[in-house]
Amino acid sequence: MRVAVVMGSTSDLVKLVDMIDFLKKYDIQVDVRALSAHRAHDALASFIEDTKTNGTEVIIAAAGKAAHLPGVIAAMTTSPVIGVPIKGSALDGMDALLSIVQMPAGIPVATVAIDGSMNAGILAMQMMAIKHDNLKAALIDYKTAMTNSCLAANEKLMEEYK
């Protein structure tokens, strides 16, 4: 089980660390790179070529501003690509969101919320859970824990406002 996480700049890492740790918690190998689609395109192409033969199942690409990285990667592979728009400019990430979500026909990028890397990690796990039963079970447990936490908070609220 392997996921590639590519960011446009090392400054994006702070928005991705929790998601990377989350994936590793479930024994998913995570290959992390900072490879700009604009400034390091040859190295990016080489890395994406490697993902085609090294067992990578999903690629998560995070970028801000023009945010071409997820789309460029999607154009180079048939693996699922999940785009994470990063807030990093005067437009509060809307520029990145629109750049990632508005892909031309034939080059899809699944897109999560601005700075929504945790959902990107969970979505990657859900994609891989089609093939890996242990991830399916882990996701069921994770979502059950979320439900229980929500219900416990509701009970506390109801008690407080009887």
Side-chain angles (χ1 to χ4, degrees):
M1 299 180 300
R2 191 173 198 156
V3 171
V5 175
V6 184
M7 63 200 83
S9 168
T10 56
S11 64
D12 299 332
L13 181 60
V14 69
K15 308 268 177 92
L16 305 173
V17 170
D18 289 344
M19 176 264 300
I20 292 166
D21 291 343
F22 177 81
L23 292 171
K24 287 182 174 184
K25 175 180 158 184
Y26 294 102
D27 296 322
I28 297 169
Q29 184 173 344
V30 183
D31 298 319
V32 181
R33 300 290 188 280
L35 296 169
S36 166
H38 303 108
R39 297 183 184 116
H41 53 275
D42 289 338
L44 175 64
S46 178
F47 177 67
I48 297 307
E49 194 62 32
D50 289 346
T51 67
K52 296 175 183 178
T53 58
N54 71 5
T56 298
E57 297 178 61
V58 180
I59 300 169
I60 297 171
K65 299 183 181 176
H68 294 131
L69 183 64
V72 168
I73 291 172
M76 292 191 280
T77 185
T78 58
S79 295
V81 176
I82 303 169
V84 181
I86 300 294
K87 185 187 298 186
S89 71
L91 300 176
D92 287 331
M94 284 301 297
D95 47 351
L97 174 64
L98 294 174
S99 292
I100 295 171
V101 79
Q102 291 290 351
M103 292 302 301
I107 312 295
V109 174
T111 309
V112 296
I114 297 168
D115 293 343
S117 68
M118 188 57 77
N119 272 352
I122 293 167
L123 181 57
M125 280 183 65
Q126 289 179 173
M127 291 173 175
M128 294 187 305
I130 293 168
K131 179 178 170 184
H132 302 285
D133 288 337
N134 61 319
L135 291 183
K136 186 179 292 185
L139 284 163
I140 290 168
D141 291 346
Y142 176 77
K143 291 186 177 198
T144 299
M146 280 194 320
T147 298
N148 291 340
S149 176
C150 179
L151 293 175
N154 181 56
E155 287 296 323
K156 183 178 177 184
L157 178 74
M158 288 171 34
E159 273 300 311
E160 188 174 329
Y161 290 98
K162 270 189 170 181

